[in-house]
Amino acid sequence: MNWRAIWAIASKDVSVALRTRAVMLPLLIVPLVLMVGIPSVVGLISGMANQMAAAESQMADLTRAMPPEFASRYAGLNDVQAGLVYFLVYLFAPMYLVLPLMASAVVAADSFAGEKERKTLEALVYTPTTDRELLLAKVLGALIPGAMVGLGGFVVYTIVANLVALNVVGMLILPNTLWLLLAFFVGPAAAAFGLGVTVIASSRVNSFQEAYQIGSLVVLPIVLLVVGQAMGAFLLSNWLVLLLGIVLWAADAVVFFIASASFRRTALMARI
Amino acid sequence: MAEDAQVVITTEGLTRSFGDNVAVDRLTISIRAGEVFGFLGHNGAGKTTTVRMLNGVIAPTGGGARIFGLDPQTDGARIRARTGVLTETPALDNRLTARATLEYFSDVYGVPRSLRRQRVAELLERFELTKRADDKVGGFSKGMRQRLAIARTLVNDPDIIFLDEPTSGLDPVATREVHRLIERLSHRGRTVFLCTHNLAEAERLCDRVAVLARGRVLATGTTRELAAELNRGHRISVEVDTDATERALALFTALPQVSSAAVVGDRAAARNGGTLLLLNGVARPDVPPVIAAAAAAGLNVYRVEPVDSSLEDVYFALQGQ
Ligand SMILES: Nc1ncnc2c1ncn2[C@@H]1O[C@H](COP(=O)(O)OP(=O)(O)O)[C@@H](O)[C@H]1O
Ligand SMILES: [Mg+2]
């Protein structure tokens, strides 16, 4: 493996993508809205409701089912407070996965399809890299920002959610096992998944926008998770998150197998 | 160019089709180290596809090739480490500076770190980009982009340089610079594979050319060899009165020494009320009897000149076949 070339390509992709508006905007706006905007608004509303509520009805009265570890850890909270904690810690958790997914997809779209669109791919295929080295370089170049955005989002969310909880509930709520699993195990898998799908899409389309749009479709299952949980179809537990991570990593293996088969310079050039 | 010089590129029946379209059709060529080889053909003749196959970035559908004795399909990366390819479009990232572009490709090509700085500085200097070295490529003129793209082609100090239409779209000054560069590369013993549709360029720079049309090589050789092969070495031009053109054509074609005759445009002749005719197949000893015959028929002949066969003639004759 020609690591110097791999690293040169990956780091150039990252630094150039970060200077591109079409890439930077979603990388900034999506985390801001999801990780700061939504919890803040929910926190504000809960705060007001909490003050108005009689604050008498206890957790035990809640008709809604709560995750097993929830009742013991948050015993003594009133309805509004419990609702807020439930939202911040559990209901919102799948939403977090949008970050690594979207971030790696947008950078991958720029570095694969964008490279074709800007016609810079042709110079790259003439370099003394093998197909595998080229793919690895490109994957790293998208995975690293994807994972970084994911971890950065986790840190920001931990701060915001704790501030909100401190204000309304009077306690710190994050990080817990579930979120640590989410950030360090499931998140990277999600980043790899968004990336892999975008790589496959990129070999079939010719523009950044198209590749990004197709890559972003993988966000849909996450929405399903959020909705499913909200409707009470299931509850996120540590085990379920662990399982989700394992499934995602397995899906990654399949996606990367397909991607590495479709990423051959001879095949890419035959389509140009 | 020594006769026993090492052969660096050979192809044997190299073919590539895209569906029904045969882009390169049974190409068999052999290029020696240090040659400037012209690959001459119109748009769509198959030049770019050939360069791609020789560097292992597109697979042939038939036949094969060896570069430095290696098969591009299995040893592409090793071949590309020793070649430099100027692609038809400069393929530069507008968001990088000139210096960053060259540093990036130096890293990807594995230029030793200790050499990188100096190599990049040298290339910037040599291609007159030093002043703009830290400006984004997006703001460069077409000529500057081309210079940078050529500089990039040379970062790994390649043994074979492929230049795919390096002067197309350049102004005369930039074109002359590229020509000088090719000459310098050749003096330094590099092999140059020059794709062009510019006949004058090929004639001026190339040791040998292959004329390509619709994927097939019509002829290979030095310009002179090609001319001889076509047996079009002996030609003269004759200026006659314009209103006698038809009669002159009929007369000359009927002569046994003349294989064919045609009108060629010539402003100098036209200004004086004359027309220039091109007579083919007229060897030097044939000239006096041909002129005598014209005089006997009452034609006014104003000038008679031998015409050297140029690559251009060869090219158009071959294309017309
Ligand atoms: N990737 C491709 N897909 C389909 N047809 C192609 C492709 N590349 C080249 N061709 C066709 O092959 C022929 C030769 O093209 P090319 O090698 O680009 O010629 P040149 O470089 O001499 O202009 C053309 O007819 C062109 O349309
Ligand atoms: Mg071409």
Side-chain angles (χ1 to χ4, degrees), chain B residues 276-295:
Chain B
L276 206 60
L277 303 182
L278 198 62
L279 310 187
N280 293 314
V282 185
R284 188 175 164 80
D286 297 333
V287 177
V290 167
I291 302 305

Side-chain angles (χ1 to χ4, degrees), chain A residues 2 4-5 8-9 12 16 19-20 110 118-120 122-130 265-266 269-270 272, chain B residues 51-52 55-59 77 80-81 85 87 91-93 95-96 104-105 107-111 113 136 152:
Chain A
N2 181 353
R4 183 163 168 224
I9 296 168
K12 175 248 168 194
V16 151
R19 279 183 266 149
T20 306
D110 182 69
R118 291 186 294 273
K119 307 207 188 308
T120 49
E122 197 165 2
L124 200 56
V125 297
Y126 280 115
T127 60
T129 48
T130 61
R265 75 187 71 210
T266 50
M269 292 308 284
I272 280 187
Chain B
V51 172
R52 287 176 175 171
N55 283 278
V57 307
I58 205 168
R80 292 191 295 272
V85 181
T87 51
L92 297 166
D93 195 326
R95 303 170 296 184
L96 292 177
Y104 168 57
F105 278 94
D107 287 339
V108 179
Y109 274 92
V111 175
R113 261 179 250 269
K136 293 242 170 71
R152 179 191 61 203

